[in-house]
Amino acid sequence: RLLNQMDRVLTPYKNNIKDYTIHEFLTLASVVQSEGIGDEDWPSIASVFYNRLDQKMSFGSCVTACYAAKIDSCTSSNVPTSIVSPYNTYLSSMAGKLPIGPISNPGAEAINATATPASTDYLYFVSDAHRKTYFNKTHDEHKATIARLKALKLWLED
């Protein structure tokens, strides 16, 4: 029943995911779902990850590192970026690669967002304490956004 349901959800998108195996696609959708605070941000988050993969950059997903370390409440202050695991996408050996497998079972909305991502040049994103997500094209812009959020006491720590 589970496989039949997943097939029903994936069938409309099979032409959109031809560059990835179903396993890879579901892995990416699971990260998109876990990274996004709100599903309205998922298409842009998917775009960030596709852009990073295309540029062979570090995937750099907090939730993959926390998954590898078995940390349930992942915050910016407890991301174990150096833990050695095929799930930890902060490792230099993981640059341009997806984690080894899904970190959760993605829902239909995350699958839709991952199959039909926003068209952006974004490479970074961060969310504030009010659940608003900010997207940036460069690392310098990203660092400036974080500094601004910290100065405004909007940095999402815990």
Side-chain angles (χ1 to χ4, degrees):
R1 292 170 90 189
L2 289 171
L3 290 174
N4 287 338
Q5 176 59 21
M6 185 59 74
D7 188 55
R8 280 192 291 276
V9 171
L10 286 175
T11 294
Y13 305 111
K14 287 201 175 165
N15 287 334
N16 298 52
I17 60 176
K18 60 183 175 245
D19 293 337
Y20 296 89
T21 66
I22 297 295
H23 180 78
E24 291 169 333
F25 176 78
L26 291 174
T27 298
L28 181 53
S30 75
V31 175
V32 167
Q33 177 172 291
S34 297
E35 280 281 5
I37 289 180
D39 59 0
E40 67 277 356
D41 293 325
W42 291 347
S44 293
I45 290 170
S47 178
V48 166
F49 288 132
Y50 280 122
N51 291 342
R52 288 180 184 178
L53 289 169
D54 287 347
Q55 293 188 25
K56 306 288 188 241
M57 288 178 63
S58 167
F59 201 70
S61 166
C62 296
V63 297
T64 64
C66 287
Y67 181 84
K70 299 181 175 138
I71 297 172
D72 290 331
S73 295
C74 190
T75 67
S76 58
S77 60
N78 71 347
V79 178
T81 58
S82 61
I83 188 167
V84 177
S85 168
Y87 284 100
N88 183 4
T89 58
Y90 278 97
L91 299 175
S92 60
S93 62
M94 293 293 293
K97 298 178 184 176
L98 290 163
I100 196 169
I103 61 170
S104 67
N105 186 21
E109 295 84 6
I111 289 170
N112 177 54
T114 306
T116 57
S119 178
T120 75
D121 294 332
Y122 299 137
L123 292 171
Y124 303 92
F125 65 92
V126 64
S127 298
D128 71 15
H130 296 297
R131 305 175 63 86
K132 179 179 181 196
T133 304
Y134 302 81
F135 294 91
N136 299 112
K137 294 178 183 179
T138 69
H139 192 251
D140 286 341
E141 290 173 355
H142 181 63
K143 290 189 304 188
T145 298
I146 291 171
R148 187 172 59 252
L149 293 174
K150 286 181 177 181
L152 294 170
K153 307 265 190 260
L154 292 174
W155 181 241
L156 183 62
E157 281 291 339
D158 296 315

